[in-house]
Amino acid sequence: MSFDPKPTTAARTDTFVFGIPQNGLQKKERTVPIDEPPPLPANAELTYIGKPTLRYDGPAKAMGKGKYTADINLPGMLYARLIDASIPHGRIISVDTAAAEKLPGVRAIYVIEHVYGVAELRDPKLEAPSRYPVVRYAGQPIAGVAAVSQQVADDAAKLVKIQYDTMPFVVDRSAARADNAPVVFPGPADAAASAGGGGGPKDVPQTGNVHGPERKTVGDVQKGFAEADVIVEGEYFTQVQTHSALETHGFVVDWKPDEVTVYASTQGTSSVRDEFAEVFKLPKSKVRVITEYMGGGFGAKFGAGNEGVVAANLSRKANAPVKLMLDRRQEHIVSNRPDSHQKLKIGAKHDGTLTAIQLTSYGTAGVGTGAGTAGPATNMYKCPNLLTEEYDVFINAGPGAAFRAPGHPQGCFAFEQTIDDLAVKLNMDPLALREKIDASPARKAERQVILERTNWRNRRPAGSDTGPIKRGMGIAQSVWYRFVSMNSSCEVRVSRDGSVELMSAVQDLGTGTKTLLAIIVAEEFGIPPADVVIRIGDTRFPIGPDSGGSVTAGSITPAVRNASYQAKQKLFAAVAPHFSTTADNFTLQNGRIVFKNDPSRSYTLKQITAKLPTAEISAQATRVPEYSKERLTYGGVDYVELAVDTETGRVHIEKVFGAHDCGRPINPTGVISQINGGILQGISYALFEQRIMDRNAGYMLNANLENYKILGAREVPQIDIVLVENYIAQSSTDAAGIGESAGIITLAAAIGNAFYNATGVRMRKIPMTPANVLSALGKIQEVQA
Amino acid sequence: MADTPKTTFSRRGFLKGAGVTAATTVIESANALARETKEALHADRTLGPDALPVKLHINGHEHSVTIEPRYTLAETLRDNLGLTGTKVVCDRGSCSACTVWIDNTPALACMTLAIDTVGRQITTIEGLSHGDTMHQVQAAFVKHDAMQCGFCTPGMVMSCAALLERNPNPNLDDVKHAISGNLCRCGTYPKVFAATLDVAQQRNQATTLVAIATERVA
């Protein structure tokens, strides 16, 4: 899809609210397309935008009425099971499906020919051609079987006999870097990013399993270190985290000659449509993707995936709809956040001014790439000299994928702890050091909130407690970026009975997109958000953005406001003759439509629409380009209070205080829910979660929810959150997403800094399990996971 | 060359094993149910592997359904009866997403064989509300935004509503304990706590008002 970034319509200049309320709001002049709606005032002056609003589909979710992909049950539908590799590396000799085919109730079996979502050899000729893809990780999809019930499909899956020619494997990142390590790929291989990000660089060198480096240079890092008064260095390790969305990846595919209907548990209806069209050589017009409800994605659910391709082939073969959901073990293997081993060096002047940052990182995304961690080191603070070198290390394990702020929790864990080390060395307060090196007005306001609303001023020197339980506090900052998808469209319909509907293909992952959109439409028409009907998650509607990288709110809300505004203008124009006036004499005040020239004449929306000459009017709008080209970031400052039991090695998080910004908050309720979630996922990442690979057998040992530990109710600390409004004058709503910067980036680092403040010991490895804590405290020998 | 190792085990085999080793009261009560039901249903013959007709009492209505003895209650509710409010997440008793009530006691539908619930009263998330009127706990979940993707929500609601039935005046720790088995990946826990405590408070206020009113009448 080509797009002309320059507005083709005439332009006008308008004045927008700008800045942060705490610092005093300012005005900003912008040149905008002539048909843009008038600038919105600050939230304090609006009726619905910025006011806590109940979740649009809350009752449906609370009552169990929402239909997720896993809940779809079509007439004649078959159930499928994905069959995957039991070995970590080898060639498939044969796939014998005879016994499975004979099982009563089996309707179709499909053996896959290509594995999607993994790195591919630059030169495919390095491997002998085969009917079957080479197996590079235990759990790699091989085939699928569809049957009349899930139980029969599962029985049949066990009857499929696969013969392998096994090859040496490696499932440990440091072992894979060795000269004599088994190679995962016989030559250089690269992986593409998904619509949610991730993916690594191409055209970088590869030696054995080591792919890279991707090198970024600013200034001269050696000169920077020479100018430094102090230098801090550190080495940090983070683990592999699996997405563990509660609804597994899955599809229901109904293959019909005139249209393929795909129910998908996806973060991007349009990315699924694109990939189905591409894989099956179909025009996009014949692929319909539906995602009414979806049970979590966190970055892992884009495109057709191997399971989608298998489901579609089974549906086509069996001539019936097919449901294929991954089982929980497969969900743990299908995607992950790569691990990391980072070496970081920072130089600074006595006053804190940064002179040089150098980062080298190795990480494994299994059979994929995208383990880079340089985001925070590159973008958090300004530094004249920077050198980052990021390497991907291939191992025989499931592919990494975008995961809530790809690369940033890892990078922040190392970077924000090294900044803390710098503060110690400079004998500066960590907040004061950041005040010196960080010019972001939003972060400044957030640090002020932390200073005023937490215990920070009572912070004691590191390791002050003399008993076995040691308490401390720490902070860390996050950085994320304003990404906008121009593929963001919608239609607004107004009917003669006064009802208003909004339609877009955009999906709601649980972030509250439906609510967000209802609020925008409601503000424009002066009706309560609950009165707006929101129809999304269906590619029959105008295209929506894929929800990755916090793009959704910032991309789709301006289109929704513009369509609402245009529909309203059309409505006014259509009914004006009936009221013997002109369209520009109507205005909206306090939920009523008022005559500008006679404020005593006012009507409800219903009274106005009743006079529509046609049964309905509608307007479509698409995202217009950003009003200015500035590169903008979002972020937050998170504060942690914790207790470390130095005898058992348990870390107990007692309090978290987060101050965050996301442009103009549209629904503070939903934003705070997401920040709660980000903070809790961050704690879970820092303390509990860890993929454990069996080095001898080459598969994931804890691919379940009892041994893959995720934070539960009893580990939830007291959480307080403050939203900082940050008006940026970039679109007709100024909204932005919060998913990435919502705490997942900062928490491991903030906990690390609080751990140091409690114990005087730097925690360089997560998860902070009792074993890793006791080893850091020097009480036991290091335990290899 | 190696053949596919047979690492998988059958549902029935697993449940049999779980019955011996599991220590939770939920599993124990499910097993007690199983024993009694089997005795009552088919005392003198082995069931299955073929499907057989059974009557299940769900949300106040009797449902006739033909199922194999190996079908779990979760599978039967979802695939055979279309009651998809009950979610399956881990399918092995470690996340509580499939929580239903059997005779008003929370139980994991993925760890319970459907035939073992014959003669028992099953309540699912669909049975908690009446038409469009939500149960107080459901309404409180909406009010406090105690959900994001919503996939854990039915199980959470069932656990919290059951807590309030057995303990009308819980504190924060009681709520945390009651849902300690309910996994939420979106991190809605703080709002689940708030919603549940809010319902307790509302009910206690209502009780107090009734008590005052009764006193006045007297």
Side-chain angles (χ1 to χ4, degrees), chain A residues 457-521:
Chain A
R457 286 195 171 104
N458 300 323
R459 193 168 161 275
R460 299 168 304 164
S464 290
D465 281 321
T466 50
I469 308 283
K470 299 186 188 300
R471 288 194 155 74
M473 54 187 88
I475 57 125
Q477 296 193 179
S478 60
V479 64
W480 191 252
Y481 320 97
R482 181 171 173 86
F483 296 124
V484 172
S485 166
M486 301 310 289
N487 294 325
S488 302
S489 301
C490 68
E491 180 183 345
V492 170
R493 277 189 205 161
V494 183
S495 292
R496 199 182 272 148
D497 66 356
S499 59
V500 181
E501 310 165 71
L502 172 99
M503 283 151 289
S504 170
V506 69
Q507 55 289 315
D508 188 339
L509 319 190
T511 54
T513 307
K514 289 173 195 163
T515 322
L516 186 73
L517 304 189
I519 292 168
I520 302 286
V521 178

Side-chain angles (χ1 to χ4, degrees), chain A residues 102-146:
Chain A
K102 282 192 208 112
L103 190 71
V106 171
R107 293 286 182 268
I109 297 178
Y110 170 76
V111 181
I112 73 172
E113 288 158 15
H114 186 83
V115 182
Y116 296 92
V118 299
E120 307 211 11
L121 280 168
R122 282 178 206 164
D123 178 8
K125 289 192 219 74
L126 290 173
E127 278 175 343
S130 164
R131 155 76 180 82
Y132 308 107
V134 174
V135 172
R136 293 189 221 277
Y137 62 99
Q140 179 176 310
I142 291 176
V145 53

